[in-house]
Amino acid sequence: MPITLLWAVDVYGRVYSVSTAGLRWVRADDLLLELKRVTAGKGRCWGIGCDHHVYLNMMPSETSIRYREETYENQRWNPVDGFTDTLLPTDRWPWSDVAGMNPQPLHSFQLPSRSWEWEGDWYVDQTCGGEPSQTGGWEYAVDFPANFSPDKKWNSCVRRRRWIRYRRYTAQGTWAKIPLDDPKKPPLPLCDISCGGWEMSDLSGRYPYLWGVSQQGQVWFREGIHPRVPEGSSWEEVEVPKEVSQLSAGPGDLLWALLWDGNLLVRTGLTLDSPTGTSWLEVESPVKEVEALHVAVGVSVVWVVTKDFKVWFRRGVNSHNPCGSGWISIVGEMMMVDVGLNDQVWAVGEDRGLYFRMGVTLSEPSGNGWIPVSAQWGNNTEVIPSRDDCEFGGQLTEASQASVLSCTDSDSELGATDPQNSTTDTPVLEAEAPSVVPLGAADTPTPPQEKEDTPSAPQQDAPKLFIPASDSFINSLLSDRDRTSTPQPSIAEIPQEEGEELPPAPVLPTPEAGGHDVPWMNVDLEGSEAARSAQAAARTSLGDRGAAATYALRTLESSRGVGEEDGPVWAWISGGGCDADASSQISWLSPTGPLTSSLSLTPVQSAAWSKQPQPQPQQQEHREEISKKPLERSNSVWVRKGTLRWWRDWKPQRWVDVGVALEQSTKSDGRKDSIFFVYYTQYDEKKYLNVFISEVTGLVPVLRDCHYAFAVYTAERTKQRWPLVLAAQTEKDMNDWLCLLSDYCCECRGITGPPSRQVLWATTSKGDIMVHEPSFSLEAPAHTMSCDSMFWRQVPGHLRCVESNSLGLVWGIGWDGTAWVYSGCYGQQPNPEDNVQVHLQTDVRSVHVYENQRWNPMTGYTDKGLPTDRPMWSDESGLKECTKGNTHPPSPQWSWVSEWAVDNNVTGGTDKEGWQYAADFPTTFHGHKTMKDFVRRRRWTRKCKITVRGPWQQVPPIRLSDISLMPCLAQSTMEQVPVWALSDKGDVLCRLGVSPQNPAGSSWLHVGTDQPFKSISIGGANQVWAIAKDGAVFYRGSVSPQNPAGECWYHIPSPLRQTLRQLSVGRTSVFAVDDNSNLWYRQGLTPSYPQGSAWELISNNGTKVSVGPLDQVWIIADGVPGFLGETPGAVCHRLGVGPMQPRGQSWDYGIGGGWEHVSVRGNSAEAPRGPHPPPPAGPSRSPVPPRPATQENGNAVSV
């Protein structure tokens, strides 16, 4: 790691620096130099002197800073004198710049400041275009300003040559005054400066920008700063809407300014082309009642100190969103903060000590605690302790005592305090014999024994305090600190109610103040000398009474040698040039270093640190263990950043590379709040999208252009059918983000562990398995939960459909017909101890493309179609062109396991070559050719396979096409659960031995039929309904626990001219879906007549239906009204279903776009039933238009 410097200024204006490789503070060589504040960058440090001038200190380097001055000598040829400097009136000057626009005679060049010196005299450049010249450096041309060349021609009428002189910067390693320029509006006097912007340049010689604030509230920008011109050239004013008192520029494109009214300004549009930005945005102070005091920014962080010395962190800040999204309070009281390299944070505490924020990383930008900057001071080997040790002797002043009463619970590890034992178990100094004179207590009456032993301090050697009257920052501090001191009780005097909250930490009592105002800069040197003498006497009398007191006295005494002055009382710090991070090994940033009670930390934390002053060898291991713990339990921010691709779903629709970040903040009360950001650029303008994790309703993998893509849903995005679609580069990246986001979504909703027995199961057309944890409000008659607010989480595995019941039994069927039973394990990343229940799961499915041809009289059937025809290679609908070459598996997780082959197993039949014929596209196709068939098609198929790990156990050996478990209430008990299924050939099967203890059952029982079936369902009271492949409906009679297979099938007439496809049986109702997506309800079901009497049309927009144990009705809707472009397959809930209204009233649409199956047969969470709500006012959300219901009555026929 390169050696870099940390800069600081004390209250007297003296400048100090400490090296990352050094051990002690080093004062600037110029002892007369007095600066108000400094701002450091890479390799340099700027400062503002008490004379309001700007100073620059360039770090010494092996390469000197040289600048080349150049000017051009111009001549014109005339017939008498040849080439001469007598030019035409329209020509350029005899001595000018390269463009000839400005006169530049040799004598006009002056050194810009005393920091430069000439390296030599002017000389002629003997090269032309980098090549040696034989013409003495002259270049010739026809006329000004034509192109010049070293070759003299017959028509060369003008010539020029370049003169060069170098000047060298000689002030490296020293503080040099920046010369005053003479702009129209002089920027001086300046009250603040900030250096930044060096990371905006992509050049090898990155150079910073310098911003300044005048005492009139104006903002100025230093122009012309360059690696060869470190001082810059001139000041440019930047318009501001209000007066500014302080600003901070980050290494990138962040610039925040503090207004005189306490609010903040953010500069936008900072780029390389526009270094001063374009506009200002105002941000309110973290607390409306308290004005902001100081602001500091880094690459993507903003820290603010308010006038009550509270520290605040701005969340969500980056170049796309420079204003951020909210404030987070950070424990600790500081006077000012500074953000250095790597977004590391440095601060000046309220005790005037220097602190470093430990634990600051990309994932934890707010860090996790403060540690002191414990560099050595003077010529001895002792470190500079916190200011309360030097001046307060470990004692808490009135400001810190207030925090004792208000911040006692800031560290939960310290435990509760027993007020009765606090005085005996904890060493505390007696209040009657104070050993230290508090700050500002020069006039406080002192006990006689202390006065006798206290030598007088030499006042003539005390330096005069540096208090610049024009510094708005210091003025604001002074005005804010002018409080009237009031007597404060000691710790022992705290009332019982407040004392109960105090942890058992050794906090030193404070003697009563003498009624004086205590300005923040009033360091009483005489009082300090008296305090030291008093401590020396107290050490003799106290002995080893308390570890905290002993440590405070030893540190105070050893920190000052003979003839040395006190350690600095700090006023300012700048870490912009200090290369430190959370992993840096810097001796003076060790978290195990000495830290006693500090006003900048909470008293509980300070006491916890100071209770172990000098551990014995046998205690060393225990002390190190404690010292590595965070100093605070504060609000922290956890961030994961990355890059993904975002599907921009407005024109022009395309994939866009974006940056993403998941940001979680933990409040002081333990509550967590997370936001997911997506940063993108549109028309060179940085923008962002954000989604609150608490509002996410689903994270669903989707099929998009062979990408590893997933969709993020919220309630509002579900209503608008506008999910946020993102894609990762690899499957691992996608799974990592899905796992991370899902974990935080579940955490904010209090969802832990495996799915409950009541969950709703669903699958997508991609094969992903989703579950929703229901609440009583989901099926409540009134105030029903909105379907688009339901939260869906993913369960590992890959299935086509899933069925369950309330006893925790879950069965699924893969796309290849394999039956699977849920083994009870849940988790995106299964734990090693759960491997017994996590299995490898494979699934195979077929991908189809259609070859289309049209007949013509000359060549017969050919792939030359009409201009209006579908593509000759297409999908089944003919709307999308799909060739064998450009057709890929459903997602990158799939892999091909076969080659393309003609598929003869197509509905309607085929000829020997697999062709189907029709009169035209897209009419019905058949398997034989007729005289009127002018088009034909055949289907090509290819199989692909996916392998995943999930909590699913295979049930061999029969492949299934449909399955159904009998629904029941959660309190039901059954020795064996009836399970009915259909094989892939249409055979009816009954599974025996299924129970919660043996969910896979023992064997299959074949139930005879005279034709293949395609759908089956069992409902309450062992009602078994089924649909044959020709659409006929059957009811199985006499099914009971004693006779699980029943006796015979009863035929139920289908709706008129409709072919039913799938049905579901609930407790007392039967719903079915036909081939035209119509939803039907079977009327007249009674215990004495379970076949019902007629079919009633409910809706015309359903592809799958599921009826639960409470007769609740859910469907997979074919589409959503008003969203014609939506991908078919949306979860839809029937509202108003009840005993008096079994068919329901209206539909509520939820998440969708590619969902395949839904099952609510496990949800028996029944809410208390109230009076029926009236039908909702306004237009209905039902997918069916008002029309008369079609009914058909029929009698059951025994077959």
Side-chain angles (χ1 to χ4, degrees), residues 357 886 1117 1191:
R357 187 73 176 172
N886 65 10
Q1191 298 184 3

Side-chain angles (χ1 to χ4, degrees), residues 200-444:
M200 280 202 299
S201 173
D202 55 358
L203 304 176
S204 58
R206 296 182 177 180
Y207 52 94
Y209 300 141
L210 182 66
W211 296 77
V213 177
S214 68
Q215 290 190 345
Q216 290 75 30
Q218 302 166 325
V219 174
W220 295 83
F221 176 78
R222 184 69 175 175
E223 293 182 324
I225 297 179
H226 191 271
R228 294 190 300 272
V229 188
E231 299 172 324
S233 57
S234 62
W235 291 97
E236 175 190 356
E237 184 179 3
V238 178
E239 296 293 334
V240 288
K242 299 180 180 179
E243 290 83 358
V244 174
S245 62
Q246 183 253 331
L247 54 71
S248 177
D253 53 1
L254 284 183
L255 177 70
W256 281 54
L258 176 66
L259 298 175
W260 283 2
D261 59 10
N263 285 342
L264 300 142
L265 285 181
V266 183
R267 190 64 172 174
T268 62
L270 292 172
T271 62
L272 287 174
D273 298 328
S274 179
T276 58
T278 56
S279 61
W280 294 97
L281 297 177
E282 186 168 355
V283 177
E284 292 186 351
S285 174
V287 183
K288 292 184 178 180
E289 296 79 11
V290 183
E291 298 177 359
L293 177 65
H294 184 81
V295 62
V297 305
V299 177
S300 58
V301 297
V302 174
W303 293 73
V304 166
V305 178
T306 51
K307 285 193 174 181
D308 56 359
F309 307 109
K310 302 299 181 184
V311 184
W312 299 83
F313 174 81
R314 186 71 172 176
R315 63 183 300 177
V317 175
N318 50 62
S319 59
H320 293 262
N321 179 25
C323 294
S325 56
W327 294 104
I328 298 174
S329 177
I330 303 296
V331 172
E333 296 181 356
M334 301 294 168
M335 301 291 291
M336 61 85 62
V337 294
D338 183 75
V339 181
L341 300 179
N342 309 315
D343 283 344
Q344 301 300 306
V345 183
W346 310 82
V348 177
E350 193 185 12
D351 60 348
R352 319 307 295 174
L354 300 182
Y355 294 92
F356 174 72
R357 187 73 176 172
M358 68 176 183
V360 174
T361 62
L362 289 176
S363 61
E364 187 80 8
S366 63
N368 52 33
W370 298 100
I371 60 175
V373 177
S374 53
Q376 298 175 6
W377 167 250
N379 296 324
N380 55 19
T381 58
E382 296 296 332
V383 299
I384 300 180
S386 301
R387 293 306 307 170
D388 51 342
D389 289 332
C390 297
E391 307 300 340
F392 315 132
Q395 181 172 286
L396 300 176
T397 63
E398 54 182 312
S400 64
Q401 280 205 6
S403 61
V404 169
L405 303 180
S406 61
C407 303
T408 55
D409 58 346
S410 61
D411 195 336
S412 59
E413 294 186 3
L414 298 179
T417 299
D418 186 358
Q420 298 177 357
N421 301 327
S422 61
T423 58
T424 60
D425 297 341
T426 305
V428 180
L429 294 181
E430 296 296 335
E432 289 80 359
S435 60
V436 176
V437 178
L439 178 67
D443 300 331
T444 304

Side-chain angles (χ1 to χ4, degrees), residues 978-1001:
V979 177
W980 288 67
L982 299 178
S983 71
D984 58 349
K985 296 180 174 58
D987 300 324
V988 179
L989 306 171
C990 179
R991 188 69 173 177
L992 303 179
V994 178
S995 66
Q997 294 75 28
N998 183 24

Side-chain angles (χ1 to χ4, degrees), residues 697-732:
T697 58
L699 300 163
V700 186
V702 294
L703 302 174
R704 286 294 177 91
D705 303 333
C706 295
H707 283 78
Y708 297 98
F710 62 94
V712 181
Y713 287 87
T714 63
E716 186 61 31
R717 288 181 176 272
T718 301
K719 292 178 183 178
Q720 302 296 329
R721 306 289 142 181
W722 186 40
L724 182 65
V725 180
L726 301 167
Q729 294 292 332
T730 64
E731 180 182 3
K732 182 181 183 301

